[in-house]
């Protein structure tokens, strides 16, 4: 139901798509919002728009549906005697910059190899790799773990995000001294700490000491706080495109931008040949991305 509303941006058309009465669709949405605990949709007499929390919720719902489809395909592969799935976790920038072309290459060169993908924070990925719950991780580095091997892939800049009416929203650049005058948020429980480490380090290089931030409770709380207050949020540049699409204002940090270092990591004792295949493919794609960037 929620995906139909998001696609149609109109209750009447969503109801027709689902073969339901419009009142039923509206009631189902109300129950969903009550269960989630946040408003997912802005309603008006003419148009329906997703809130920032709704945009994130839709992405997670789409990911779940994609995971279900992938699980069905992998189960059929196993039943047919084909190779099982390689368990791969990724952070958001790597999913945008590397995973899509990786899947394209594997479909052509290794069609028997399935990937079970999920988005996870760096600490969770490292724990999963060490425990053997994951085969390959795309994480923020450097990676310093005695049981893991890692290779650097590429770097992405950190950018600032503020609400449309924020005092800083009139410009396109923000300095570290300006950041020091505002409350800022770099993450949430489950989010990686790499962004804050990169931000504090780069600010210190320019003589500005930023106090460590306190992350929001979860991703929805993080976005809602940015919408409702004058706090400054920080994310990778690829992640910021989601914020821009939901009406937030994105700022470049000056005079230099903090960089997030994306690495591919795997267990040193892995005996899965497909791990080497995926690592080599990712190294090649990262080199192509650096040349193109």
């Amino acid at each position: 139901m929620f995906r139909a509303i998001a696609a149609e941006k109109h209750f009447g058309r969503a109801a027709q798509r689902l073969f339901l009465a419009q009142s039923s669709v509206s009631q189902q949405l109300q129950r969903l919002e009550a269960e989630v605990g946040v408003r997912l949709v802005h309603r008006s007499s003419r148009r329906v728009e997703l809130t920032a929390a709704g945009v994130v919720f839709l992405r997670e719902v789409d990911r779940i549906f994609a995971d279900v489809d992938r699980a069905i395909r992998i189960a059929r592969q196993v039943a047919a005697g084909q190779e099982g799935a390689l368990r791969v976790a990724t952070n958001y920038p790597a999913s945008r910059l590397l995973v899509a072309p990786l899947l394209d290459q594997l479909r052509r060169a290794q069609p028997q190899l399935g990937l079970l993908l999920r988005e996870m924070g760096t600490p969770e990925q490292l724990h999963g790799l060490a425990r053997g719950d994951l085969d390959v991780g795309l994480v923020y580095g450097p990676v310093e773990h005695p049981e893991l091997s890692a290779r650097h892939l590429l770097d992405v800049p950190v950018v600032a995000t503020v609400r449309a009416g924020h005092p800083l929203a009139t410009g396109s650049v923000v300095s570290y001294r300006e950041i020091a005058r505002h409350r800022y948020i770099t993450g949430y429980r489950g989010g990686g700490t790499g962004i804050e480490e990169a931000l504090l380090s780069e600010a210190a290089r320019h003589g500005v000491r930023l106090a460590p931030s306190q992350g929001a409770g979860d991703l929805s709380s993080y976005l809602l706080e940015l919408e409702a207050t004058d706090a400054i949020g920080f994310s990778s540049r690829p992640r910021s495109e989601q914020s821009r699409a939901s009406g937030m204002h994105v700022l470049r940090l000056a005079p230099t931008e903090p960089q997030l270092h994306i690495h591919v990591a795997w267990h040193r004792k892995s005996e899965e040949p497909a791990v080497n295949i995926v690592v080599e493919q990712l190294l090649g794609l990262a080199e192509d991305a650096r040349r193109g960037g």
Side-chain angles (χ1 to χ4, degrees):
M1 170 274 303
F2 179 71
R3 297 174 85 202
I5 293 173
E8 299 293 344
K9 294 184 170 56
H10 189 278
F11 280 104
R13 290 194 296 272
Q16 292 176 356
R17 180 170 175 170
L18 297 170
F19 300 101
L20 294 172
Q22 183 171 331
S23 59
S24 176
V25 172
S26 180
Q27 290 168 6
Q28 287 185 40
L29 176 62
Q30 290 174 5
R31 287 196 293 269
L32 176 62
E33 290 180 321
E35 183 176 349
V36 175
V38 297
R39 190 174 183 182
L40 302 173
V41 170
H42 286 305
R43 305 163 177 81
S44 70
S45 58
R46 295 183 177 180
R47 192 167 177 80
V48 174
E49 295 285 353
L50 298 184
T51 62
V55 170
V56 174
F57 186 75
L58 176 63
R59 176 173 58 83
E60 293 302 310
V61 168
D62 287 341
R63 181 183 61 79
I64 290 169
F65 273 89
D67 283 347
V68 170
D69 290 341
R70 193 177 300 112
I72 291 171
R73 185 180 70 252
I74 291 165
R76 288 171 177 168
Q77 288 177 344
V78 172
Q82 297 176 338
E83 290 188 42
L86 202 66
R87 300 161 300 173
V88 178
T90 177
N91 57 32
Y92 184 81
S95 72
R96 294 294 304 274
L97 300 173
L98 296 172
V99 172
L102 172 66
L103 292 174
D104 286 340
Q105 285 196 5
L106 291 178
R107 287 189 193 102
R108 294 192 299 269
Q110 303 285 338
Q112 80 285 358
L113 176 59
L115 298 188
L116 185 59
L117 293 165
R118 61 183 303 188
E119 187 178 331
M120 297 174 65
T122 291
E124 291 78 15
Q125 288 196 52
L126 297 180
H127 291 151
L129 289 165
R131 289 193 306 264
D133 296 333
L134 294 171
D135 297 304
V136 176
L138 291 163
V139 300
Y140 293 134
V143 175
E144 299 174 351
H145 194 291
E147 298 181 65
L148 304 181
S149 296
R151 294 281 301 275
H152 175 258
L153 294 175
L154 49 78
D155 299 332
V156 293
V158 174
V159 297
T161 306
V162 297
R163 63 180 177 84
H166 193 284
L168 297 175
T170 55
S172 60
V173 177
V174 62
S175 71
Y176 294 100
R177 295 194 184 280
E178 289 176 304
I179 293 168
R181 294 195 287 267
H182 292 80
R183 167 172 163 72
Y184 73 91
I185 319 170
T186 59
Y188 47 90
R189 286 195 300 270
T193 60
I195 291 175
E196 181 163 17
E197 292 171 358
L199 176 67
L200 296 181
S201 175
E202 198 67 19
R205 286 185 62 234
H206 297 287
V208 178
R209 183 181 180 278
L210 298 178
S213 75
Q214 292 184 349
D218 52 33
L219 183 53
S220 295
S221 300
Y222 169 81
L223 293 171
L224 289 171
E225 181 164 357
L226 291 183
E227 278 193 325
T229 72
D230 281 344
I232 305 174
F234 294 91
S235 68
S236 67
R237 182 176 290 165
R239 173 77 80 176
S240 72
E241 295 307 314
Q242 286 185 323
S243 301
R244 196 191 303 272
S246 61
M248 304 292 281
H249 191 76
V250 178
L251 299 163
R252 183 172 57 82
L253 276 64
T256 57
E257 296 175 299
Q259 299 291 316
L260 298 171
H261 311 295
I262 298 177
H263 288 65
V264 57
W266 65 98
H267 201 287
R268 290 183 185 274
K269 296 182 178 179
S270 174
E271 297 180 354
E272 173 57 65
V275 169
N276 292 330
I277 293 173
V278 169
V279 169
E280 290 303 318
Q281 294 276 12
L282 286 168
L283 288 170
L285 289 168
E287 185 176 354
D288 291 343
R290 290 193 298 269
R291 288 175 177 172

